[in-house]
Amino acid sequence: MEQTQSGNGGAEAVLNLEPSSSISIAYHSLFGPHDDLILLELDEKLLPDILQQRITLRGQPDEDAVLCTGSKTYGIKFVGNSNSVFLIPPSDQTEFCENSLDCKRKDDDQQGVASVIKVAPGNMELVEVAPRLDKLKLLLSENPYTFQEDLEMEDLEVVEKGNTGLYKWDDLVEKVQASDEELRSELQALSAVEIGGYWRIVDVKYMDTILRMLLHNSVINDWSLDALNEDEVVSMLESDGYPHKLAHHCLHVYGNKVDENLSRQVWKLDERRVCVHFAREILKEGKKKMESFMKEWMQKIPEGMQASFDMLEGEVLTERLGVETWIRAFSVSSLPSSPAERFSILFRERPKWEWKDLQPYIRDLSVPGLSSEGLLLKYTRRSQPTQDAEPVFSAR
């Protein structure tokens, strides 16, 4: 036989309900839709971030909101309930009483009765998603930092207020749906630099000028490209008229720090990054015959570096026209990060792809919970004319 639970009403009475016991429920005097109250279902690993308020909701009015922790991004979706879910506030929750006296009176009158403030139609669920970083590239591309702007500014740390297309860290956090860690990682991938408090992409032509001057100075001063003294390089570039911040940025973009101590910091130019830079410079004028491209490329490569065509994976496409092989720029960095958009562009470019050509253009795609094989199954059709032939992928 069921026993009726006695004691205080409210959520405490339900939480302390003994097995085989029951409790009466009633409509709260303030029962209603209460749209400001929403249930959120969480993975236990996210609970510390929620309780310690280390999460933010990000998105513009025309975007679906995402929830971000310090390092990950989660999509939010509403899941309806097939059963009735009653929300019962604690008995001492004063915001659900007209005044404190009213709360005490209800507590005395409703001993052993749980008052339902709302019937929840469903709850919100969090699903880890890839950060939406394409917008960051668009924002920073609005106003790249140019040589002309450098001439007009005496101090890179002071930027005139009101400049359009300029974004500080807080602006990017507000506009881009990504966690802080993911946002910083993408800023680094885009070779962005903070100038005067604003995050900027430096114009490609300007970066090319600085790099060429660095290489020129290395020849004049007999510097090894594998052991560049940061102070010497930056000081020399400053004497050539380049700002300290951009001279240092050039080392970050094209080099890696190999030694660091109190007396000096040493950098090594990255062979692949430098070689790819000059390949892009050649191909920005349009497609070229392979033989002509390779000859020009080898002439531009700094002495001591070895260029390999394998370096251009994900940067160029080749095609046979008659007896000639032509090459043209097609960089993975220019493609969207959304898998659907990425595959759509790839199959507009080529209706069929061999795996060795396709792989460089999709290996950076990251969809939580979906492997590379899963992406291929979702967006492509695989065919293999013979058992020994390379698989070919076309649009699904």
Side-chain angles (χ1 to χ4, degrees), residues 187-386:
L187 285 170
Q188 184 175 353
L190 293 172
S191 297
V193 58
E194 192 174 16
I195 298 175
Y198 295 91
W199 282 94
R200 311 288 299 274
I201 290 178
V202 183
D203 179 68
V204 175
K205 290 181 180 178
Y206 196 11
M207 287 303 300
D208 177 62
T209 303
I210 301 174
L211 175 61
R212 288 176 187 271
M213 184 57 73
L214 187 158
L215 294 172
H216 175 70
N217 288 337
S218 72
V219 174
I220 293 176
N221 296 284
D222 197 25
W223 294 337
S224 168
L225 299 182
D226 293 337
L228 293 170
N229 184 303
E230 180 183 303
D231 291 338
E232 289 182 5
V233 171
V234 172
S235 176
M236 189 66 70
L237 286 173
E238 282 188 282
S239 68
D240 291 323
Y242 298 102
H244 179 277
K245 173 150 283 192
L246 293 185
H248 194 265
H249 181 58
C250 183
L251 288 173
H252 275 277
V253 173
Y254 298 109
N256 298 301
K257 194 176 290 187
V258 293
D259 186 26
E260 184 174 5
N261 54 51
L262 294 176
S263 60
R264 66 172 196 162
Q265 298 185 56
V266 179
W267 293 74
K268 175 182 178 180
L269 287 191
D270 186 279
E271 195 169 59
R272 182 185 181 278
R273 276 183 255 168
V274 173
C275 291
V276 167
H277 168 82
F278 286 111
R280 287 174 175 171
E281 286 296 300
I282 296 168
L283 292 174
K284 70 181 181 182
E285 300 172 2
K287 67 179 182 179
K288 287 182 172 289
K289 291 181 181 180
M290 178 67 79
E291 185 180 348
S292 172
F293 164 76
M294 291 299 294
K295 182 179 179 180
E296 187 174 353
W297 191 32
M298 295 303 164
Q299 290 173 345
K300 290 183 179 293
I301 298 302
E303 186 177 350
M305 289 191 173
Q306 298 295 321
S308 165
F309 195 76
D310 291 340
M311 292 176 172
L312 301 182
E313 268 195 353
E315 291 290 337
V316 300
L317 289 178
T318 59
E319 59 183 334
R320 294 280 296 183
L321 295 176
V323 296
E324 298 284 357
T325 299
W326 291 73
I327 182 172
R328 59 191 172 88
F330 188 69
S331 178
V332 64
S333 63
S334 67
L335 300 178
S337 60
S338 160
E341 294 177 32
R342 173 81 62 91
F343 278 103
S344 176
I345 290 175
L346 289 173
F347 288 122
R348 283 203 305 269
E349 185 66 31
R350 279 184 181 178
K352 294 183 178 181
W353 289 76
E354 291 185 1
W355 173 243
K356 62 180 177 61
D357 296 327
L358 179 63
Q359 196 264 349
Y361 291 98
I362 65 170
R363 62 185 167 201
D364 67 312
L365 288 177
S366 176
V367 179
L370 194 61
S371 64
S372 298
E373 291 76 12
L375 282 172
L376 290 173
L377 284 172
K378 185 173 182 179
Y379 294 105
T380 72
R381 293 184 187 277
R382 173 180 169 143
S383 59
Q384 201 165 359
T386 66

Side-chain angles (χ1 to χ4, degrees), residues 1 5 10 30 36 54 85 94 108 129 149 202 223 268 276 291 296 329 342:
M1 182 176 183
Q5 180 81 18
L30 297 179
D36 57 328
R54 296 196 299 254
V85 176
T94 56
D108 294 338
V129 296
E149 187 174 346
V202 183
W223 294 337
K268 175 182 178 180
V276 167
E291 185 180 348
E296 187 174 353
R342 173 81 62 91

Side-chain angles (χ1 to χ4, degrees), residues 33-180:
H34 292 285
D35 294 331
D36 57 328
L37 293 177
I38 301 174
L39 289 178
L40 176 63
E41 184 177 348
L42 285 176
D43 188 300
E44 193 171 344
K45 66 184 180 182
L46 284 173
L47 199 54
D49 288 317
I50 297 288
L51 296 178
Q52 296 177 35
Q53 299 183 358
R54 296 196 299 254
I55 56 100
T56 55
L57 289 173
R58 294 181 180 174
Q60 298 298 298
D62 60 342
E63 297 172 329
D64 293 330
V66 297
L67 182 144
C68 294
T69 64
S71 60
K72 293 184 178 180
T73 302
Y74 295 86
I76 305 172
K77 67 176 183 177
F78 182 82
V79 180
N81 292 327
S82 56
N83 299 318
S84 296
V85 176
F86 299 140
L87 297 190
I88 301 171
S91 56
D92 61 351
Q93 202 79 13
T94 56
E95 58 260 43
F96 295 117
C97 301
E98 294 177 5
N99 52 61
S100 58
L101 184 62
D102 182 49
C103 264
K104 185 178 186 309
R105 183 167 58 249
K106 286 177 182 173
D107 191 35
D108 294 338
D109 293 344
Q110 298 187 5
Q111 293 288 319
V113 177
S115 298
V116 177
I117 193 74
K118 169 178 178 168
V119 177
N123 60 272
M124 307 302 288
E125 283 188 357
L126 300 180
V127 180
E128 187 179 348
V129 296
R132 299 164 186 174
L133 293 165
D134 289 339
K135 189 174 184 180
L136 177 62
K137 191 187 303 183
L138 291 173
L139 292 173
L140 297 184
S141 297
E142 288 178 13
N143 195 350
Y145 189 85
T146 63
F147 178 70
Q148 184 60 34
E149 187 174 346
D150 193 15
L151 293 175
E152 295 170 357
M153 291 174 56
E154 294 183 1
D155 185 353
L156 292 193
E157 298 304 319
V158 180
V159 179
E160 290 185 12
K161 295 182 178 179
N163 282 349
T164 59
L166 297 181
Y167 301 95
K168 295 185 177 182
W169 170 257
D170 289 344
D171 300 325
L172 296 177
V173 166
E174 180 185 346
K175 293 178 179 295
V176 180
Q177 293 182 298
S179 69
D180 287 0

